[in-house]
Amino acid sequence: MHSSYTYPIGTPGEKWGEAQRKQWRAQTSIKRHYQQEVIPKIDALREQFDVEQYGALSYDPARYPLYCIKSKNWQPHKPVVLVTGGVHGYETSGVHGALEFARTEMARYSQEFNIVVAPCVSPWGYETINRWNPLALDPNRSFYTDSPAEESANLMALVASLDGEILVHIDLHETTDTDESEFRPALAARDGIEYIEGMIPDGFYTVGDSENPQPEFQAAVIESVSKVTHIAPADEKGEIIGSPVVQHGVILYPMVKLGLCGGVTNCTYGTTTEVYPDSPKVTAQECNLAQVAAIVGGLDYVLAEQSK
């Protein structure tokens, strides 16, 4: 469906220049606080795990240090599990779901895996409730060599530093109503293209890698999450957000080609979760628990496969 909606910044049909990017950044504001809402939850895990700073955002290094949480007694022979959250900072359960997993489940899985959790890849986006960073760049389209997005570059450096083979990567995201009310119209304006209205699916789904779909792994994630929240149905075209549904609750993207966080490793088992927090059927905590369930379902599947 085409839309007559015009974004208030820029000229329709023309890509943004630096002036428009500055205008966009000037209308952002701090709405919540990383140092108050996220950092204390990370600090509370220091006795159980190794907490390491892997970078800081140059916009304000003291305000935006980047932390990861690693299992103690890292052993190079163990397979590595990477959990990432808050690549899009506004996607709240990505951040707090990652922290909830670390608090409640990470210790028991650390017996079998080396685990590293990067809970808030984009803290400026977290504070301003934004998909982009201050340069109007999407970190989740910026995972490639010489990335212009600091958030992506810092995480890629962390991944490169890890000792051992990354077997599993679970990247925690949300699809929200603001994707259509704000972020996709802004993207169309920034790139000088027409905004075509889409539909937000009501429910959880995953995005697998079209180059390595791992359907049984995806099914295990969906099954685990279905015990916590509802799974998004396909629309009348058999699609979710414009992509064909290849199995219940699953679509596929070419992760590396699109510069997505899901392509940052060469893992065997990978998925990007998509929680729908705006549904009247769920609470914020249920969204966090759905993210935990996704990780647990995926790891239980991998353990079962390894034991065969």
Side-chain angles (χ1 to χ4, degrees):
M1 181 190 301
H2 291 252
S3 174
S4 59
Y5 176 84
T6 300
Y7 198 74
I9 295 173
T11 301
E14 295 182 11
K15 290 184 177 181
W16 288 1
E18 186 58 28
Q20 288 75 33
R21 291 174 185 264
K22 287 182 177 179
Q23 184 183 355
W24 172 83
R25 184 163 63 249
Q27 53 85 48
T28 64
S29 62
I30 301 297
K31 298 178 176 68
R32 55 188 181 182
H33 296 279
Y34 176 65
Q35 292 280 352
Q36 295 174 15
E37 299 174 21
V38 178
I39 297 295
K41 290 185 177 182
I42 295 172
D43 286 340
L45 297 167
R46 288 182 180 273
E47 287 191 16
Q48 274 188 288
F49 307 110
D50 293 331
V51 173
E52 298 178 3
Q53 184 174 345
Y54 68 91
L57 300 183
S58 67
Y59 327 129
D60 190 335
R63 186 181 186 118
Y64 301 126
L66 301 170
Y67 290 107
C68 66
I69 304 150
K70 297 174 71 175
S71 48
K72 287 185 180 289
N73 303 314
W74 193 277
Q75 298 175 6
H77 70 275
K78 286 184 180 179
V80 178
V81 172
L82 172 66
V83 176
T84 47
V87 174
H88 289 144
Y90 74 105
E91 296 172 4
T92 306
S93 74
V95 176
H96 292 287
L99 290 166
E100 186 74 2
F101 166 77
R103 185 181 72 84
T104 63
E105 301 286 354
M106 182 168 159
R108 69 185 180 97
Y109 286 104
S110 294
Q111 298 173 34
E112 303 292 338
F113 301 108
N114 295 318
I115 302 176
V116 57
V117 177
C120 193
V121 174
S122 298
W124 183 88
Y126 179 87
E127 291 202 331
T128 60
I129 310 184
N130 241 295
R131 185 178 181 89
W132 292 343
N133 72 9
L135 304 180
L137 294 173
D138 186 340
N140 204 37
R141 296 296 184 277
S142 303
F143 284 89
Y144 49 81
T145 303
D146 298 325
S147 174
E150 293 181 27
E151 297 82 357
S152 312
N154 275 287
L155 185 65
M156 287 189 290
L158 170 63
V159 169
S161 75
L162 297 174
D163 190 7
E165 177 190 357
I166 299 178
L167 181 66
V168 183
H169 177 201
I170 300 178
D171 188 29
L172 307 180
H173 285 257
E174 294 181 340
T175 300
T176 72
D177 288 345
T178 52
D179 288 12
E180 284 296 330
S181 64
E182 168 60 27
F183 299 122
R184 291 190 67 250
L187 174 64
R190 186 198 69 181
D191 294 348
I193 60 176
E194 182 182 13
Y195 164 55
I196 300 175
E197 189 175 358
M199 286 183 59
I200 300 299
D202 185 351
F204 178 94
Y205 63 99
T206 67
V207 185
D209 188 351
S210 57
E211 304 305 306
N212 180 30
Q214 294 290 341
E216 293 180 354
F217 173 74
Q218 306 295 341
V221 171
I222 293 292
E223 172 63 23
S224 181
V225 173
S226 69
K227 298 171 184 175
V228 177
T229 190
H230 57 293
I231 306 303
D235 63 18
E236 66 277 2
K237 296 181 181 179
E239 298 176 341
I240 290 177
I241 60 167
S243 293
V245 175
V246 298
Q247 63 191 88
H248 181 46
V250 181
I251 62 174
L252 302 175
Y253 281 179
M255 293 287 173
V256 174
K257 181 179 178 180
L258 293 178
L260 300 174
C261 184
V264 76
T265 75
N266 293 317
C267 68
T268 301
Y269 302 104
T271 195
T272 298
T273 68
E274 295 287 353
V275 165
Y276 179 50
D278 297 314
S279 173
K281 304 174 186 177
V282 300
T283 65
Q285 181 60 4
E286 284 169 341
C287 291
N288 295 339
L289 294 177
Q291 302 284 22
V292 176
I295 304 167
V296 166
L299 295 186
D300 285 348
Y301 173 83
V302 173
L303 288 174
E305 287 296 294
Q306 288 185 321
S307 67
K308 288 182 179 178

